[in-house]
Structures are given as structure tokens and as C-alpha cells.
Amino acid sequence: MAKSILIVDDAQFMRTMLSKLVQEEGYEVVGEAVNGEDAVEKYKEFNPDLVTMDITMPEMDGIEAMEHIKEFDPEADIIVCSAMGQKPMVVDALEAGAKDFIVKPIKPEKVKEALNNILG
């Protein structure tokens, strides 16, 4: 059975691109979320094996969403995909529980490497 992924990004084109990459690696996209609140709700609903998380989003940002997801499931695997690649943001994301940090614009090979390192 394929490992399941929840994709969280407020940009439709980014969700579409990540979804395609994830499926090319043989993983199943169980859901997409458009902001942090949506991410927390869908994580609880689908219980995915991994989450790709944007940081800058309306309603609730990715850091706060990760904190809520980690409260619900301390073992949650989360990869941050963000244009906010400055060191303090990377440190905040890793402290909030991210397993990896991919800077946008994303490179397909970097996403595939991160997925396989965590789920493979």
C-alpha cells in the first residue's frame, strides 16, 4: 500500500506540481489543504504518512499549523516547502518539528530525495 501524503499550500499551481511529483514517486496524495487551519483539520481526517507544508498562508501559517499537528501527533512527518529560506525561518520550522526544509522555487529532485529519505 502506497504511503499517503497531505499537500499544504495556498497556491493551486504549487499543490498541483507537488501532487504530480509525489505521485511520480509512487506515493498517494490523500488530500490538499489551502491554509494552516485546513491542514490541521485534514491531518486529523486523513492521518497521512507525511505532510508537505508551506509557511506563508492565510488564516494560520505553516509554523502554527505544524505546532497543532505535532500536538495531535508527535510522530508526524512534515517537510516544509517555502520561499522563506532565511536561516531564522528554517530554524523556526525545524524547531516546530519539520524533518526537512525545501526552498522554493522547488527542484523536483530535492523533493523526491526528501520524500524517499523520510518515507523510503
Side-chain angles (χ1 to χ4, degrees):
M1 189 169 162
K3 301 267 185 170
S4 58
I5 314 276
L6 173 65
I7 294 175
V8 183
D9 201 301
D10 60 334
Q12 174 66 55
F13 79 94
M14 190 56 67
R15 292 194 308 274
T16 301
M17 187 167 114
L18 284 169
S19 181
K20 184 172 177 275
L21 287 172
V22 163
Q23 290 170 349
E24 283 175 3
E25 286 301 292
Y27 301 112
E28 178 187 5
V29 177
V30 290
E32 294 183 4
V34 298
N35 60 51
E37 285 182 7
D38 195 23
V40 174
E41 288 173 18
K42 288 190 174 160
Y43 187 89
K44 291 176 180 177
E45 180 181 351
F46 297 118
N47 194 25
D49 294 303
L50 185 138
V51 178
T52 67
M53 179 74 73
D54 190 14
I55 290 180
T56 307
M57 296 182 289
E59 310 297 327
M60 179 192 295
D61 70 26
I63 300 289
E64 191 176 352
M66 282 195 297
E67 291 168 351
H68 286 286
I69 288 172
K70 285 291 196 176
E71 283 173 18
F72 176 76
D73 178 6
E75 303 300 317
D77 287 329
I78 302 170
I79 297 173
V80 171
C81 300
S82 176
M84 306 289 283
Q86 301 91 342
K87 190 174 180 184
M89 188 59 74
V90 174
V91 170
D92 285 351
L94 295 175
E95 285 179 354
K99 292 274 177 87
D100 205 340
F101 194 106
I102 297 172
V103 179
K104 292 179 184 173
I106 60 171
K107 295 182 173 75
E109 62 275 8
K110 177 68 178 156
V111 174
K112 291 175 181 180
E113 180 185 318
L115 288 170
N116 292 325
N117 281 345
I118 294 170
L119 295 175

